[in-house]
Amino acid sequence: MTLERQAIFVDGVVQGVGFRPFVYQLACHLKLAGFVKNRAGSVLIEVEGERSLLDRFLVELKTKPPPLSIIDRVSLKSLPLRGQEYFRIEPSDIEAPINLEYQSPILVAADMAPCADCLAELHDPADRRYRYPFLNCINCGPRLTIIQSAPYDRHRTTLARFKMCAACQTEYDSPGDRRFHAQAIACPACGPQLVALTNAGERIDADDPLTLFADWLMAGKIGAMKGLGGYHLVCDARRQQVVSELRRRKRRDEKPFAIMVRSIDQAGRFCDFDSDEQSLLESPHRPIVLLKKRIEPSSDQYLLADALSPGNPFLGVMLSSTPLHDLLFEAVGEIPLVMTSGNQSDEPIAYLDDDAVQRLGSIAEIFLTHDRPIHVRCDDSVMRIVDGSKMSIRRSRGYAPHPIRLPFECPCPILAVGGQFKATFALGQDRHAVLSHHLGDLEQFEACRAFERDMILYERLFGIHPCVIAHDRHPDYASTGLAQRRAADEGIQLLAVQHHHAHMASCMAEHGLDEPVIGVSFDGTGFGLDSTIWGGEFLVGDYSDYTRAGHLRNVGMPGGAMAVHEPWRMALSHLLDADCDPSNVDVGSTHQRRAIEQMLNRGFNSPLTSSAGRLFDAVASIAGVQTRVEYEGQAAIKLEWLAMDVPECGTYPFELIQKVKSTHQMDIARVPCALNLFPFFIDTRPLIRAVVYDVVQHVTKRVIARRFHSTLVAMISAACDRIREQTHLDAVVLSGGCFMNALMTKGTCARLMASGFRVYRNHLVPPGDGGLSLGQLAIAARSIGRTPAIPDIAALVKMATTCTA
Ligand SMILES: [Zn+2]
Ligand SMILES: [Zn+2]
Ligand SMILES: [Zn+2]
């Protein structure tokens, strides 16, 4: 019998997921001695025992880890025997390793819905946690939202203020227990408690605050309720008047509200879904899933208020994500509940108790809250199934900060600050990209503050200190300003990344692609390199470089950002560009038309754009679908709804026109695969003329919408065919906000695959601007090379001056 001792380093999501208890039980089972402990970014195990048992230990470690853990890397080192007799769990090492180059980031798990064991206890009258809304175990419960710093230990979470009772302590200390070292352990005797408050923040004396809250909801009141990552506004989703009132108080006219239902059967009463959608609904991430509304609800009792999502064939649905929600449904029964972010219009979700009462007091009539603080705010995630696979629309609770594996290693720690809208940031170290939760639109001051605060928090939490910051090329994005300020203050290298290149790279990174590709990047707007606004782009290249192979025809965007909110402006611009008489269609008044025409002719406040999103707006407006929008992309979404169930009915004409090559020589020299490429643009004028013809001929909106979608598919297909002829590239990545359009995405994928292309689209991160940070990160990781980053000279000078001053 040969005895050996081994040190085993395990990297990945291994802290806060029951990894040490699992190792402890495994080692005890195999009668191995040694210890396990958390280190800054990994778990360190030392085991000694018989060789064959050590091997078995390693196999089981790799193949049967706890459900929430993800093992990225296991490295081994032989050690001299120490003759230990027992195995034990040792306290964490908090000091970071000295050699930063090899330090793995600390990966924190996402918050997960209660597991089946915990739910069974919740509903078992004999259990000491019967009806206790804060029960959890090593396999479920809050994580990111309660962690204050790393490594993940109870005294560094928001539960530190609750002293464990003797019974909880025993479970916490018992290696065989499901709550062995479960840091968020709690029970009615020692843990957080519910409290009901008036909308002025005064405590309401109630034996059972939950039942009281439920009674108010059932009586048609609006409530505010503290969830995992923030406050939700809640009401009966069947009451038209209440839902409309909520809409009015929230200052939200048309954006749809999501609902929470008690069970999957209940969801089936309102929506149709397939098995993929069902498993997404039931997954422990518990996202909001966009489902198709049932045309005929199963009975009047299940008629939802129209005001939930006016005119929208889809409905956002989720199942309960905490034991508290579960208990709420026990009280309200089969009533579907509106469960929408606790905020006004587009502000970040309220998560601090005092702030919530202040901000939501004018919206909600009663509060259901508790004394377990939320440390990191986190909105609900939104997902949908497109063409049989997942599409992330908003990646937040349940997914963030789950790392995304990069196809290559970051040469140094990197921060990518994303864009301006649907903001997220990303931190990169090793092969990990840690994407933040959703932070909203940075035009809002509150969102900007939250962005900055949570960025610092993540850096501390994950122990990642960036030496490069990647940002969008747009000089006026708040994220760009933030990146520049930090770079100057801290002497960090900056890297500006073109918006559509970042979209393309986000999709490449997700799929582990590290080769030149054709990137189709269709979205609303992004800062171009030629002083125009890009948004209908065909790029060729890889992470480190790209060239613009083609784009949609440039037209003026009268009024700049105003045109985003008023699609009729884009309609006029496209009509004039195509020499169509605007009076043939119902777009703007004569006075408005004249004003826009003058703006366009003089080029006054009318930047040129190749945006596909704006083309959607123009067509929607010309077809009379929508002339004003409440949020970006609304007109495009309506066009998609109209076209959804219409069978294929032809396409509109367009032309692919070659440009003069010389202007692109510089670009092409940097991108070898594009040497024989002749840049082109797609002339959209024939398309516009044909749409006008259809409108004049009274062709239905549905048919026009369908033809337009088919035309986009044909355009993308024609452009990709041409690029393949000239470059021999056959991998196409589809990204940008327009690819949230299921009809266009599905059609494009099918068409390109039929032509023999390898087609990739975003699944893990949103194709829209929420995914930009991942793309920027991958580009930075590939572009900065393996040499250490050189700090910005200007910043160094500035630092030197401040020091001497
Ligand atoms: Zn559990
Ligand atoms: Zn207890
Ligand atoms: Zn974009």
Side-chain angles (χ1 to χ4, degrees), residues 114-118 136-141 178-179:
C115 69
D117 291 335
C118 285
N136 62 79
C137 73
I138 52 169
N139 298 321
C140 72
R178 196 156 52 80
R179 295 194 172 88

Side-chain angles (χ1 to χ4, degrees), residues 61 96 218 319 388 403 462 469 540 585 626 628 674 709 731 742 794:
L61 183 83
M218 287 189 285
L319 299 181
F462 294 90
I469 304 181
V540 165
V585 288
Q626 185 122 24
R628 278 168 206 277
H709 279 81

Side-chain angles (χ1 to χ4, degrees), residues 20 126 167 201 295 397 425 431 446 472 500 572 577 582 692 783:
R20 287 175 302 167
I295 305 191
R397 177 186 50 75
F425 56 81
R431 278 174 169 254
E446 262 304 315
D472 195 277
H500 303 93
L572 271 178
D577 179 55
V692 171
S783 310

Side-chain angles (χ1 to χ4, degrees), residues 20-238:
R20 287 175 302 167
F22 155 73
V23 169
Y24 175 87
Q25 282 162 28
L26 182 59
C28 293
H29 175 69
L30 296 173
K31 305 211 162 36
L32 298 171
F35 66 85
V36 56
K37 66 174 163 185
N38 281 342
R39 294 185 60 183
S42 48
V43 163
L44 167 64
I45 306 164
E46 286 193 24
V47 271
E48 70 178 68
E50 204 185 315
R51 177 68 215 225
S52 63
L53 291 175
L54 289 184
D55 289 346
R56 234 179 95 193
F57 177 80
L58 214 57
V59 170
E60 302 235 338
L61 183 83
K62 288 180 188 166
T63 54
K64 291 176 191 157
L68 296 187
S69 67
I70 297 172
I71 297 179
D72 267 330
R73 186 170 53 188
V74 175
S75 30
L76 305 174
K77 198 173 139 191
S78 286
L79 296 173
L81 283 174
R82 278 169 58 179
Q84 276 173 313
E85 282 177 29
Y86 302 104
F87 195 91
R88 60 178 195 274
I89 294 179
E90 288 196 349
S92 308
D93 276 349
I94 45 166
E95 64 281 8
I98 301 153
N99 189 347
L100 280 175
E101 207 185 326
Y102 292 106
Q103 187 193 347
S104 306
I106 301 142
L107 299 174
V108 179
D111 304 76
M112 293 293 165
C115 69
D117 291 335
C118 285
L119 282 182
E121 285 179 356
L122 185 68
H123 299 295
D124 175 8
D127 195 276
R128 72 186 188 91
R129 290 190 178 85
Y130 175 56
R131 291 181 53 78
Y132 181 58
F134 305 99
L135 89 172
N136 62 79
C137 73
I138 52 169
N139 298 321
C140 72
R143 292 291 189 278
L144 171 71
T145 52
I146 58 163
I147 296 178
Q148 292 162 323
S149 65
Y152 180 59
D153 274 323
R154 187 174 176 95
H155 66 277
R156 283 183 286 265
T157 71
T158 61
L159 278 131
R161 61 164 80 170
F162 301 96
K163 192 178 162 5
M164 269 183 249
C165 67
C168 284
Q169 189 72 52
T170 308
E171 290 170 336
Y172 185 86
D173 293 335
S174 311
D177 198 280
R178 196 156 52 80
R179 295 194 172 88
F180 180 49
H181 284 238
Q183 307 301 349
I185 190 170
C187 80
C190 69
Q193 300 295 336
L194 283 179
V195 54
L197 303 176
T198 66
N199 61 353
E202 282 146 18
R203 200 186 171 100
I204 304 173
D205 244 337
D207 290 342
D208 185 356
L210 182 91
T211 309
L212 178 79
F213 186 75
D215 287 344
W216 279 55
L217 294 184
M218 287 189 285
K221 305 284 186 200
I222 297 171
M225 174 180 180
K226 189 170 173 182
L228 265 178
Y231 278 78
H232 278 125
L233 289 163
V234 196
C235 70
D236 183 342
R238 303 167 308 169

